Amino acid sequence: MLIPYAIVGVMTALEDAARAAQHAPSVFNTQPWSWRITGTTMELFADPARQLDAVDKQGRLLLLSCGAALHHARVALAAAGRAVSVSREISGNFLARIQVEGPAAPTMVDLAAAIPERHSDRRSFGGQAVTEEELTTLRRLVEAEGAYLHVVRPDQVAELGISAERAAAAERDDPAYQAELARWTNRPDFTGDGVPPAAGVRQELRRVPIRDFDPAGSAALPSGDEHDQGTAYVILFGRSDTPTELLRGGEALSALLLRATADGLSTSVISDAIEVEWPRTLVRGLISGIGEPYVVVRLGYLPDAPPPPPTPRRDPRDVITVVEQQ
Ligand SMILES: Cc1cc2nc3c(=O)[nH]c(=O)nc-3n(C[C@H](O)[C@H](O)[C@H](O)COP(=O)(O)O)c2cc1C
């Protein structure tokens, strides 16, 4: 049977969206997802072989990463003028289904343009403060995705710094963590994943320390002279950490990062403070115990610096399956 022309067009749009989703951020750049396209639907699966055993025993960061990929795909489809419905019924590795319902006026075009422009920037940000208006915009976007945002108050930054420092120390002393970090920061080129030394910054005194991706000390980027004076720290959190809420939390994370990028902000994610039990309790305290913290995000300006180098991505043929229709 010949496939109707319109369905071919939809399948191409879905494949383009799955490719756009490959730009999504993921913990240790594991890119722990795959897509299956059939006719006018696209299904998202988690790839448990890419779950981090030491860092992410419960698979929370894996689900957040998959949620970010799901949101990237939604943005790409909206910008391509496709109306979709999304169902999230997590069962085993199956996470979500996107169904194209028909044509629509393109939306979220600026967010789609930000997809290839967004890179984690771990350097210290400059003195220009992130405005209240910007933070309100980001909070509303996150809430529209079913999660919440707490802007860390100036009097809370030191405690956030202590949480990140405690977590880093605990992980430094954990041989399983060190082995996992070594595995994901020394990937052969053909894997198209992991965090290369070029993306890491040298460890220097910071208000809130960032993950040391290169304990051997060959990280390419200096952390810079800016001291994070204008940096805003926000805690992305949800009511609980059920799988569906975590998936939606990842969608919210993507919405936050893409909007911030489109608005000219530099960003990076901090999750080590959430990975270790005691620092996680401290971070939960910063949100007054009203929910479960998912990740911390740094937001700030680095107007004169060249963008940080992009990280690799997997071969789309290993990630996207197009089911031929009979
Ligand atoms: C759930 C999650 C947790 C992350 N945790 C950290 C972190 O603790 N420290 C960090 O520097 N980057 C963190 N990242 C950013 C990833 O390392 C980054 O997205 C990945 O290496 C790909 O690089 P890119 O963001 O530049 O595309 C995290 C990203 C996600 C989605």
Side-chain angles (χ1 to χ4, degrees), residues 25-27 29 118-120 122 195 211 213 269 271 311 313:
S26 59
V27 63
N29 199 21
R118 185 211 58 80
H119 305 293
S120 296
R122 303 178 177 90
V195 184
R211 193 192 296 276
F213 276 104
V269 178
S271 63
T311 45
R313 288 300 186 266

Side-chain angles (χ1 to χ4, degrees), residues 117-132 134-135 138 149 151 206-207 210 223 226-234 256-270 296-308:
E117 302 300 324
R118 185 211 58 80
H119 305 293
S120 296
D121 195 335
R122 303 178 177 90
R123 294 171 290 188
S124 52
F125 299 146
Q128 185 182 344
V130 183
T131 63
E132 288 297 322
E134 176 73 33
L135 292 168
L138 297 176
L149 203 64
V151 180
R206 303 280 287 268
R207 295 208 298 158
I210 51 146
S223 113
E226 298 286 2
H227 305 298
D228 277 322
Q229 288 295 10
T231 301
Y233 299 91
V234 295
L256 162 67
L257 295 175
L258 293 180
R259 178 75 267 156
T261 304
D263 292 347
L265 283 157
S266 297
T267 64
S268 81
V269 178
I270 298 176
V296 177
V297 180
R298 303 167 60 240
L299 305 158
Y301 293 96
L302 260 183
D304 301 323

Side-chain angles (χ1 to χ4, degrees), residues 32-45:
W33 58 78
S34 65
W35 297 100
R36 188 168 67 194
I37 298 168
T38 315
T40 57
T41 68
M42 179 158 90
E43 293 168 316
L44 174 65
F45 297 86

Side-chain angles (χ1 to χ4, degrees), residues 241-265:
D241 52 8
T242 62
T244 307
E245 278 182 288
L246 284 163
L247 188 72
R248 299 206 66 189
E251 292 174 77
L253 174 63
S254 165
L256 162 67
L257 295 175
L258 293 180
R259 178 75 267 156
T261 304
D263 292 347
L265 283 157

Side-chain angles (χ1 to χ4, degrees), residues 300-325:
Y301 293 96
L302 260 183
D304 301 323
T311 45
R313 288 300 186 266
R314 299 173 65 197
D315 187 329
R317 288 170 299 185
D318 295 337
V319 181
I320 306 164
T321 305
V322 180
V323 179
E324 300 298 337
Q325 304 223 290

